[in-house]
Amino acid sequence: MNNRYLKARTLARSKHSGQYYGELPYYVHLEAVSRLATPFGTDAMIIAQLHDVMEDTETTVDELASDFGFLVADAVSYMTDGKLEDRAKRKAMINQRLASLNADEESARLALIVKACDRLANVRASKSSSERHYDMYKLEHASFKEAVYRKGLCEAIWWELDNLIDPMTEQ
């Protein structure tokens, strides 16, 4: 493993210490997202480890830029939900931001890939452990896909995600 990746994993585990993903330590989710991001390179894996650190901790974009560079910091920033309590409003805001990204920009491209990996990890986990969350992801899928999907970007991720959400979907 690359030193930058190990640094990101160590930072993420430290920052998310004491947080849980259901009944599991939060790093289990970060590892799942990182595994899905592996085919897209080390930067995608780093972003996967850090994708929730600004949203769920006091970590700043400047801290990430200092430790990992602007590409990683910008990608994580693009993916970070706002602090609104209302999930529907929060998701509408982030979907609007993600929909506006130009996938020709490397940090935007990586943010879109990791966001799809994050959603796939969440759907996989919820399908077997939380019907309430799984149903929520099903309801959000169309608007999420409209905002995040870019033709040719990470088709295998989207194929599995679409089939988990609606197994009867014709591909």
Side-chain angles (χ1 to χ4, degrees):
M1 279 188 208
N2 156 316
N3 285 343
R4 286 178 64 240
Y5 175 77
L6 293 175
K7 182 178 178 179
R9 187 171 75 176
T10 300
L11 178 68
R13 285 184 181 204
S14 171
K15 294 285 188 169
H16 290 287
S17 178
Q19 295 177 356
Y20 287 86
Y21 185 76
E23 296 179 6
L24 302 170
Y26 201 79
Y27 73 83
V28 171
H29 170 64
L30 303 177
E31 291 295 324
V33 178
S34 186
R35 277 191 304 278
L36 288 168
T38 299
F40 306 99
T42 302
D43 284 332
M45 293 170 61
I46 289 168
I47 293 161
Q49 285 290 332
L50 299 171
H51 78 274
D52 281 333
V53 78
M54 286 176 48
E55 186 173 310
D56 296 342
T57 75
E58 298 301 315
T59 307
T60 66
V61 70
D62 290 337
E63 184 179 346
L64 290 181
S66 173
D67 287 344
F68 300 99
F70 289 105
L71 181 126
V72 168
D74 286 347
V76 172
S77 181
Y78 289 148
M79 297 174 60
T80 299
D81 273 2
K83 301 292 183 186
L84 294 174
E85 289 293 320
D86 182 292
R87 181 179 174 87
K89 289 180 183 175
R90 194 172 69 242
K91 293 304 176 184
M93 281 179 53
I94 194 164
N95 284 347
Q96 184 177 15
R97 181 181 333 127
L98 293 168
S100 72
L101 295 180
N102 179 349
D104 291 335
E105 177 200 347
E106 185 65 4
S107 57
R109 184 181 78 79
L110 289 169
L112 293 166
I113 290 168
V114 174
K115 193 67 175 176
C117 292
D118 176 38
R119 183 54 64 107
L120 178 54
N122 285 330
V123 170
R124 279 179 173 176
S126 68
K127 186 165 172 108
S128 62
S129 66
S130 175
E131 187 176 341
R132 179 177 65 86
H133 286 102
Y134 179 67
D135 289 343
M136 175 187 68
Y137 293 129
K138 284 172 59 175
L139 288 172
E140 293 175 348
H141 186 65
S143 59
F144 176 79
K145 187 171 184 177
E146 184 177 331
V148 179
Y149 176 78
R150 302 297 190 279
K151 186 172 178 55
L153 195 55
C154 52
E155 295 294 336
I157 299 295
W158 284 104
W159 181 86
E160 183 177 349
L161 186 53
D162 287 340
N163 280 286
L164 283 172
I165 293 293
D166 183 4
M168 302 306 289
T169 302
E170 291 288 324
Q171 296 296 320

